[in-house]
Amino acid sequence: MKEARILLVEDDQNLGQILKEYLDVKGFSTTLCRDGRTGLKTFKSELFDLCIFDVMMPIMDGFTLAEEVRKSDKDVPIMFLTAKSMKEDTIKGLKIGADDYITKPFSMEELLLRIRAIMRRSQRGENAPPEPTKFKIGQFNFDYDTQVLKDNAEGSEMKLTSKEAELLRMLALNKNQTLERSKALKQIWHDDNYFNSRSMDVYITKLRKYLKNDEHLQIINVHGTGFKLIETSNETEPAQP
Amino acid sequence: MKEARILLVEDDQNLGQILKEYLDVKGFSTTLCRDGRTGLKTFKSELFDLCIFDVMMPIMDGFTLAEEVRKSDKDVPIMFLTAKSMKEDTIKGLKIGADDYITKPFSMEELLLRIRAIMRRSQRGENAPPEPTKFKIGQFNFDYDTQVLKDNAEGSEMKLTSKEAELLRMLALNKNQTLERSKALKQIWHDDNYFNSRSMDVYITKLRKYLKNDEHLQIINVHGTGFKLIETSNETEPAQP
DNA sequence: GCCAAGGGTTAACAATGTTTAACAGGCTTC
DNA sequence: GAAGCCTGTTAAACATTGTTAACCCTTGGC
């Protein structure tokens, strides 16, 4: 099982640092932000499995941050650190969709137990529909596990690199739909920034070359948004009004 | 449940004696040492389920002692007694792999609760389903205990070295998933650095040679991340989402 | 002690994979 | 249609991995 990523937003530098070190030692990959604004920015550019937000923070409080986060990801588990168990806070948090609360002061051990509980829960969710790893794309068979793309027309096989395979898989999973650039960047490159974005463009070019034998396949760009792998059927000639 | 053994290292004779008596009454078998040096010596010659070290001690402080102990046992739970909750101390301790802290002054009751919590935790770890040591990998049978890899197709047996066996075991445990390079290095080489990483590459080559008779087995590289042992079934039928 | 064998590491070089740079077009907006 | 960002493409630069062989060690026999 891969190292889980945690986004920790805590304005108290001391507590934040201690928590981060502790969680890192316990096998998580933790990113610490000092305030809600940088927290939100970080969340939008990287991929996390769990968010832990302090409620009382300057600039942007934990609840507001959570609401913003929910706008771009409605599933990621969120946990709040509250000064004391205030009913109002609790209710507000529940509305936003918090997964757990922990009231200061708390022991590291307790925090860890709760984190593991949440992880276990959200894993179950993932277990439900296993994502396919073998695809039929036009005249090709693509096996994500072996990273092999087979051209059924020519009978040839091409060995893809891991990045090529990951990108093609995401495109295939979203066939005929737009795959958002930032989504792919977060999942494959783990960071949505300019250089990775250009790198992704290079991979799009490579994939287009791999698929060029089948004229019914195209990877088209959706300007400012992402890419779309489209497969047009042979006999369907749509009328142009 | 067997009587748990505790190694208590505390330079304050009064406190040490009181703690020992209390713990003994509560059903533990406690060994008390007055300083880090004798503590280390004792640890190396006997078996303990838990260590409790005072941080402030002459000759050898608790952290140094813990580091030494970690060299010969990287799993035994260690708990620190600290004069006050010093942030630096906490961080230092966490890096070493402490399981808990307790700040003086503390109540006996609190200490007992924490000890039991730790015991419960480490027991859970032990109770968890024991990791398998015998694997069926494609046309091979691999026995980690005897370090023997048997080729069922040819009927031949190969004797692996310990490093080969450990690496193959980790790959087998993560079959069809990516085994992170750093994870393997930490577990098998105990240090994730450039040279060990190259050494691991050499072992990957060796394992590939061992497995090359079965064409459905591959150890493929996930660039910048690790390796994946994949076993492909004979029939390749791509799923249509 | 000396030698040989085996296991493990380091070195060296080849091959492969990924990112960055550079430049050429494209799409949008005003 | 000009300015400014986005995208397409290529090639060079950089980083990681594959492989072989030499080089340490340690161990055990003589």
Side-chain angles (χ1 to χ4, degrees), chain B residues 161-163 189 195 199 202-203 223:
Chain B
T161 73
S162 27
K163 281 257 186 323
W189 277 266
F195 289 110
S199 196
V202 172
Y203 278 91
H223 198 95

Side-chain angles (χ1 to χ4, degrees), chain A residues 161-163 189 195-196 198-199 202-203 206 223:
Chain A
T161 73
S162 6
K163 282 256 185 327
W189 277 266
F195 288 112
N196 287 338
R198 297 319 328 274
S199 198
V202 172
Y203 277 91
K206 294 183 182 187
H223 197 92

